[in-house]
Amino acid sequence: MAGAGVIDRYLADLAGSLYGSPARKSDLLAEARDSLDDATESYLSAGLPEEEAQRRAVSDFGTVAEVRVDFQSELGLATGVQALRSLALALPVMHVLWELTRLTTIGPWSNTGVRMPEWYGPLALTADYTGYAVAGLGLVALLVARVLCRYARSARAGRWVSLVAATAVGVDLLVRVVLVSVSGLIDMSLLLLSWPCAAVGLLSMVLSARLVVLARRSWRACVTIVA
């Protein structure tokens, strides 16, 4: 199309103003292009020159600043939902995998040969329960987010999901850091019970880092919404 540059420049400006999941961003821009192309075809059918038809299509679609609000809200919501889904699904799996690995390679904590304070057991148990609680919070938040998407603006739903995701990830990470730090202070051997336990522990920390990245992306995507 001779006037394709009008739409291309508009979409390039829109893409540059958005932050969030590349895949979801690409989908939104593709939807925008489809709508602009359809509107352009309508104006062409009415007898307008091609470039003018595209200019009118862009004008009808809205300015970059106007469209960006809704698109950025969608991006923030999508990233937050991804973080919550990871919380709800991955955390319980990692906790169960850790316990199974410890029981099959070490057995009861008494087999470690480390004399632990009386409060260490309750602390470790609290860490486990916190992980399941955070996962449950993520699941509930996902259900609430679906309701918010129906009855509230995407921007409001995105901010709420982002806040819950960031809080849940922060709590989970804090508990993990405290438990690892305390274990190391008691006896460094607790951090290396066996190579399978060490591998699962490392995988768990990688998961935590991934959740932090997702929560940060969601928060950043939502706080950039100007509306």
Side-chain angles (χ1 to χ4, degrees):
M1 299 175 71
V6 175
I7 291 179
D8 288 341
R9 288 193 297 272
Y10 175 83
L11 292 177
D13 290 342
L14 180 59
S17 71
L18 299 173
Y19 175 85
S21 167
R24 182 54 181 154
K25 180 178 176 180
S26 179
D27 290 341
L28 290 172
L29 292 173
E31 292 173 8
R33 180 177 288 278
D34 289 341
S35 297
L36 290 167
D37 286 344
D38 289 343
T40 298
E41 292 297 331
S42 296
Y43 281 118
L44 287 174
S45 299
L48 271 67
E50 191 169 312
E51 185 169 350
E52 179 61 23
Q54 290 199 25
R55 292 187 186 280
R56 292 202 181 188
V58 167
S59 178
D60 293 343
F61 196 72
T63 66
V64 169
E66 293 170 341
V67 176
R68 176 187 179 279
V69 173
D70 289 334
F71 278 26
Q72 189 60 63
S73 299
E74 289 289 336
L75 286 170
L77 180 59
T79 309
V81 167
Q82 184 181 3
L84 290 176
R85 186 180 295 118
S86 297
L87 275 172
L89 297 178
L91 282 186
V93 172
M94 290 307 304
H95 279 280
V96 171
L97 180 60
W98 161 256
E99 285 300 320
L100 289 177
T101 303
R102 179 183 65 81
L103 289 173
T104 54
T105 60
I106 301 299
W109 282 104
S110 57
N111 291 347
T112 62
V114 178
R115 184 176 180 181
M116 292 173 285
E118 294 183 358
W119 47 264
Y120 183 81
L123 176 63
L125 194 59
T126 299
D128 289 339
Y129 286 154
T130 300
Y132 292 121
V134 168
L137 175 62
L139 181 59
V140 172
L142 281 174
L143 298 176
V144 174
R146 296 189 63 177
V147 176
L148 285 178
C149 289
R150 294 181 181 179
Y151 301 104
R153 293 185 59 189
S154 295
R156 180 176 299 178
R159 290 190 182 101
W160 184 85
V161 168
S162 174
L163 178 61
V164 173
T167 301
V169 169
V171 170
D172 177 67
L173 182 61
L174 177 62
V175 170
R176 288 172 184 268
V177 169
V178 169
L179 182 60
V180 170
S181 300
V182 170
S183 299
L185 289 174
I186 293 174
D187 194 310
M188 288 299 296
S189 66
L190 291 175
L191 302 180
L192 299 171
L193 296 175
S194 65
W195 73 261
C197 287
V200 173
L202 179 60
L203 181 61
S204 180
M205 296 306 294
V206 171
L207 172 63
S208 293
R210 172 62 176 169
L211 292 176
V212 169
V213 170
L214 288 176
R216 181 178 179 277
R217 285 179 180 174
S218 176
W219 182 257
R220 180 179 175 185
C222 286
V223 298
T224 56
I225 299 172
V226 182

